[in-house]
Structures are given as C-alpha cells and as structure tokens.
Amino acid sequence: MKTTLKQKADSLDRVQMKKKARKVQAVLMWMLKAVILVGISYIILGPVISMVSSAFFTSNDLYNPVVVLFPVEGTLENFRGAFQTLVYPRTLLTTVLYVASLTLIQVIVCSMAGYGFARFEFPLKKLLFGCVILTIVLPTDTLMLPWYTEFRNFDIFGILRLVTGGGVNLLSTPIPMYIMSLFACGLRSGLYIYIFNQFFRGLPKEIEEAAFMDGAGSFYTYFRIMLMNAMPSVLTVSIFSMVWQYNDTFYAQLFAINNRLLMSRRIGTLQATIAQAYEIRDTGVTQLYLYAGILMMIIPVVIVYCLLQKRFVEGVERSGIVG
Amino acid sequence: MKKKKRISLIQKRAITGLIFITPWLIGFLWFYVKGFIQSVRFSLSDMQMLETGGYQLEFTGLANFKYALFQDAEYNQILVSSIGNMLIDVPLIIFFSLFIAIILNGKFKGRTIFRAILFLPIILNSGAISASIALAQQAVTGGVAAVSAEAAGTGGMNIEYLFYMLEDLGFPAVLSDYLIAAVGRIFDIVQASGVQIIIFIAALQSVPGALYEVSQIEGATGYETFWKVTFPMVSPLIVTNVVYTIVDAFMESEVVQTAYDMAFTNYNWGVSVAMSLMSSLAVCLVLAVIVKLISSKVFYYN
C-alpha cells in the first residue's frame, strides 16, 4: 500500500518535472525564434535604416567620426536637391501612368492566357504550356539584341516599308514595352500566366457551367465572372507587376527609354547630374543626394505595400503560386 | 447528327481557348521564336548596326564564340565564377527560406510585422533600388552600413574564432569554409529569398492537418515529424524554388552585365549574343541536371 502511494507521488513529481521541462523548452524556443527573426529583420532593414539616416546628413556629419545614425547638424538639403534634379512630381506622374497602364495590360493579357490554358482543351496545349514555362526559365538577355533590333527598325510585316520606305525607330519611347506587354512578353509575363493558370484551375467548374446554362458567352463569362472570382490572384499579379515594372532597369536600359519619363532611369543618373550641377567632386557627398533620391523613389512603393501588405500576403498564399 | 454536334461543341471550345491565348501565342512566336532564331544568326555573324536603323550581317562561323571563350580577357572566368556562386547560393537560399517559412508559419505575437519585413526584399530587391541598397551596404563612413558590413564578415575576430573552433573540432576544412562563406553572404541570401519564403509558407499551409495529428498520436517527436511529414510534403516545391532561385540569381549575375556591356558599350554585337547564348545554355544545363537530380528524390502526395 505504502509503496504504491510513494510510486504515485513519484509519478506526479515526474509529471510536474516534465511540465516544467516543457515550459523551459518553450521559452528557449521562443527566445531562439526571437533572436533569429530580429537578426534577419536587422539584416533586411539595416541598409534601409542607414540610407534613411544618411539622407539627412550634411557633409560635416558624413566625416564626423562621432556621428552614427543621428546627424548632429542634419539637413533637408539632400532632399531638396534630389527633388529638383529628379523633377520629382512630373517624373513620378509619368512613371506612375506608365507603370499603371502596363500593369493593366499585363493583368488582362496574362489572365486571358492563363484562363485559356486552364479551362480549354486544344491541340498542342501541353507543348504550348511548356513554352510558357520556357519563357519563365529562359534568361532574357539571350534575346535582348533581337528585341533591340526589332524595335530599332520597327515594321509590321513590311507594311511600313511599302508606305514610307523604312521602319520606325521606336527606341527611347515607351512604345516597345507596351507592344511587348500587349503580347504577353513583358516583364515576367510568363510567371503571371503561370500564377493565373494555377488559380483558375483551382476554381470550381460549376461556376462557368451555370453561366453557360444561363446563356452567357465565353468572354462575358470570363470578364464578368471568372475575373471577379480571381481577385486574389489579380491583386498578387498587379502588385508584382507594379513593383517590378517600377524598379525595372533592364528593359528601360535596353529600349533606352527617355530619362525624363522614368524614375528608375532618372535615379541612375542622379549622382552624376548632382555632381555636375552643384560642382561637388566628393562622391561621398553626392551619395547622400542619391540616398535622398532613392528614399523618395521608394516611398510610393512602400505606401502601396503597407496598404496592401496583408491582402497581398494572403493573396499570394491563396492564389496558388504553389499549385 | 447528334455526334456531329458534340464534336462541333468541342471544336468550338478549342477555338475559344485558342482565342484566349492568341495574344500570348503571337508574342511568343514573334519575340521568342523569331528572337531566338535571330540570336543564333547574330552569334554566327559579324554584325554592324547601320545608321538608317537596319543592320548588316556577315557570316563568320564560330568566330564570335571563339573570341568570347579564348580571347576575351574575362568572359570565361566570369561565367565560371557566376555559375559557381549560383551553385553555392542555391542550397543556402533554399534551406534558409524553408527554415524561415517554418518559423513564420507558426503562431506567435508580432507575426504580421515580421512577415511584412521579410517580404520587403521582394519589393526592394530589384533593379534600381537594389543597386543603390548595395551601395548603402558599402559602408560609407559612419552609419549602420559600417556596422552591418562588419556583421557580414568582412573582418571581425568572431568569425576567425569560429573558424578555429570548427577546425579544432575536426570539421573538414571545405565544409567550414563553406559555412564561413555562408555567413559572409548572409546579406545576399536574405535579400534573395523573399519569394521563396512565400512559396514555402503556402506549401506548409497546404499540408493536411490530419497528418500532423496522426504523427502526434503515434508519438513522433518534432524532429521526426519534420523529416517524415513536413519535408516530404513540401519537397515538390523545392524543385520550383530551385528553378526560381537559379533563374533569379542568373539574371542578377555578372554574366548578363558583361554581355550587355559588350553590346551597348563596346558595340561588339555578335560576341555579345554569343556570350548570352553560351551562358544561357550553361544555365539551362545546370537547371536540367539539378531538376533531374532533385525530382527523383521528391515525394508526390497525389
């Protein structure tokens, strides 16, 4: 009798010990997680923070060894200079118009292609979809020169040559980008087609059947019903497309799109322009202007991101990048 | 009569489908197929841009390839080192992003904030902004940049200390070198793994909860659950992520820039195309080999 009681007490003790051990374990795990997450967040935010603080530095702050993060003198001159050199309001407006219109085109064209691949059976479908994957995987730089020559001497099946006797040089205008996006060959279009395709495949077929029974045509069904149901993936693709297009330098450089039109092009030459205009030889100091300019460039993106962040993450999770 | 009508419906569906993909199909034929053929032609010729807007080709055989490989001072080194870096980075990025995805998938306070921060690189890590962030990292005097550059392992006795410790423990030098290099590259790795983290989180959420319940009832430890349940279930997406990582890393790599400069700074068009073709071929080969290797080990649930 006694022994059993003792055993019981022992086992109770052991249970409590185990509980404690688990608690300690949980706390340790939590601490580990916290350390890792904070560390990684620092790695991501570190350069951003340093950029923000440097943007307010004067040249004295820059060479003051005591100054870390918080400037002693502090100035808004960098922002003023960058604002002027970038012609900020106008450049921002043209850039936003450019990006927004391209995004709209991308969403419509890519969702159409994605829908076509997801819901219709036609000959060579597998092969063609393989080609979509190929366009995602194939590095674009292989094709940059043919694209360049194509738009340098643009001509639709020799029609223009008949009329005017030569092609049109479309470089330095944004038209090449529009043409390419219109035919779903814009910036990462393949990826967007893939995302839309995965999402449409996940939607129940009954929706369309019901629409069909009620006498809706294919295009009506698509625009009024399927696209409305695909809002999470539309949102995801729009954000990706907007941000990547806004930051894009590769296509902008390739087609030599006019500096005055695009923020990403303006930023590229900001440092040199400032050095020339204000006759500053010190690259350290002109860099401060660059930081200010970059901050002004990022701000619209960050605002959009903060507004849409939650829906964006949910959208990506549900929009079936995963398949 | 009935049969005929059914076929026509199927045909009608096929035609509608084709109409939906027409824009893409035209673009594909126009820009990709035609572009690729032209690339091959350019690479085999001596190319001159004409003032009038056209260009002139003179067939030279494999001269451009020979020039790129044997005469250009840097190309072959850059190609090898870019691919080497890529191969080093890929496993690190994959493991890192899987690890972070698992942490972020759990429930804890402040998860939204950390998610927002960790997805920030997707926005910042491209084109104009990333170039300037790289600038910001290059330690101007003062500022956090200097501190973080130190953390990145350019100097600092912590890392050396760690290195000796690993050596004393009998770690193979190759492996410890790799780990040290990984610490040094942590910036690039974190910056490059935003999209991969998202893909893994989505994968983790699609694992049926019943599997975890079963493993818990059967008495599996967390470690076992990870290797026997989580890992096999997300393994198909490792392939996706590897492909994405390689392509992404390649687009940012020096090879692309070299080819670009060769074309638009040196106006050596033919050689530039030959360079791009060779590097693309190399990347595609690497992709094919890696995907083949991984796919054979991947577990498919359905």
Side-chain angles (χ1 to χ4, degrees), chain A residues 42 142 147 150 247 294 305 316, chain B residues 34 39 116 123 132 144 198 280:
Chain A
Y42 171 74
T142 320
W147 291 350
E150 180 79 42
N247 286 344
I294 285 161
Y305 180 70
V316 173
Chain B
K34 188 185 165 200
S39 271
I123 284 178
S132 37
V144 187
I198 286 188
S280 301

Side-chain angles (χ1 to χ4, degrees), chain B residues 5 23 32 51 53 60 80-81 90-91 113 131 147 187 194 212 234 260:
Chain B
K5 195 163 193 186
Y32 280 88
E51 284 297 316
T60 53
V80 170
S81 74
V90 167
I113 299 169
V147 185
F187 264 112
Y212 288 112
V234 299
Y260 184 88

Side-chain angles (χ1 to χ4, degrees), chain A residues 270-281 286:
Chain A
L270 176 68
Q271 208 174 349
T273 318
I274 290 264
Q276 221 169 33
Y278 297 102
E279 290 179 345
I280 303 170
R281 294 248 175 77
T286 49

Side-chain angles (χ1 to χ4, degrees), chain A residues 21-72:
Chain A
R22 222 172 270 164
K23 237 182 193 172
V24 172
Q25 208 185 0
V27 170
L28 281 178
M29 276 305 283
W30 180 84
M31 274 167 66
L32 186 70
K33 263 187 200 174
V35 167
I36 290 170
L37 285 176
V38 169
I40 289 165
S41 306
Y42 171 74
I43 287 175
I44 292 169
L45 293 180
V48 180
I49 295 171
S50 89
M51 239 163 50
V52 173
S53 79
S54 311
F56 291 99
F57 278 16
T58 61
S59 54
N60 288 335
D61 284 328
L62 181 66
Y63 289 111
N64 186 347
V66 188
V67 169
V68 175
L69 267 186
F70 296 100
V72 175

